[in-house]
Every structure is written in structure tokens, then in C-alpha cells.
Amino acid sequence: MEWGKSADAPIFELLADEYARRILLAADREPRTAKELREVCDASLSTVYRRLETLQEHDLIDEQSTVGADGSHRRRFETTLESIHVEVVDGDLSLSIETRDDLADNFTSLWNDIRDSR
């Protein structure tokens, strides 16, 4: 497969990156600041911020702003990725991603369908 011809190529390349995977896993356990991710992932802060930006562009990480007891603002990052499915279709790789937001939307739609059918 030639990466340049697939719309999914940027996601495959992102998931092939060790730091991006480490960030996804660390931020899945609990929301973390960039500094916490730097420590857990054993990466420089600039590397963490670059990966976070790319992960956010693909909606795989969500950012939450909090205010500490001292009034300082902190950004925490949490994984939104729930599952990834890769299929071979007509000699090409096909990727589908499900996020936590997708699951919540699916549940809401299902619940509304049940209520409407009464």
C-alpha cells in the first residue's frame, strides 16, 4: 500500500509513532497534564506538545481546562479513542475509529429510538 494514496495514512503514521501511543495509553488511565505525560512517556515537553496537537487534530485526545486551588490554570488531556478497526478492502487498508463521543451518541440515538417506538 502506498501511504500517500490513503486518506487514513496520517492516522496509521500517527499510531506508528511510539510517543503518540504512549500518550494515548497514559491519558487513557486518567486525565494528565503535559508535564505528567512528559514524565510517564519519557519524552521532552516539546515532543509531548507536538504529539498532543496532532492527536487533537484527529480527535483522539480531548483537552480539559481546570483551575487549581491556588488559581492557576491547568490543561489536562484525556484519550477519547475507544477502538480502532482495520480491514483490508479491495487490496487497501481501511480504518474506522470509534471515540467515546461516538459511543455516547450511539447510546443516545438508541435510547431515543426506543422511546419513540412506544
Side-chain angles (χ1 to χ4, degrees):
M1 172 181 167
E2 292 182 28
W3 288 113
K5 293 188 176 187
S6 170
D8 297 327
I11 299 288
F12 283 116
E13 291 171 1
L14 180 60
L15 295 175
D17 181 81
E18 182 179 349
Y19 291 117
R21 289 192 315 271
R22 286 182 183 180
I23 289 169
L24 282 170
L25 293 173
D28 187 52
R29 292 183 197 108
E30 64 183 271
R32 296 182 189 258
T33 64
K35 287 181 182 180
E36 291 169 333
L37 289 168
R38 176 191 70 194
E39 292 171 15
V40 171
C41 299
D42 192 28
S44 70
L45 199 53
S46 61
T47 295
V48 168
Y49 276 119
R50 279 193 305 271
R51 295 318 186 281
L52 284 169
E53 182 179 334
T54 305
L55 289 164
Q56 285 179 300
E57 288 172 6
H58 294 286
D59 297 322
L60 301 178
I61 287 277
D62 189 31
E63 180 181 329
Q64 305 162 354
S65 294
T66 60
V67 179
D70 62 353
S72 63
H73 292 266
R74 289 190 179 93
R75 296 186 306 163
R76 294 192 179 274
F77 300 91
E78 183 175 25
T79 302
T80 61
L81 179 64
E82 193 63 35
S83 65
I84 298 173
H85 303 277
V86 179
E87 293 181 281
V88 177
V89 179
D90 296 328
D92 201 8
L93 293 176
S94 173
L95 180 71
S96 64
I97 296 175
E98 191 168 56
T99 64
R100 292 184 180 138
D101 290 340
D102 294 334
L103 292 176
D105 291 345
N106 291 344
F107 179 78
T108 301
S109 293
L110 177 62
W111 180 249
N112 287 337
D113 290 345
I114 291 170
R115 286 185 25 199
D116 291 344
S117 66
R118 291 184 183 177

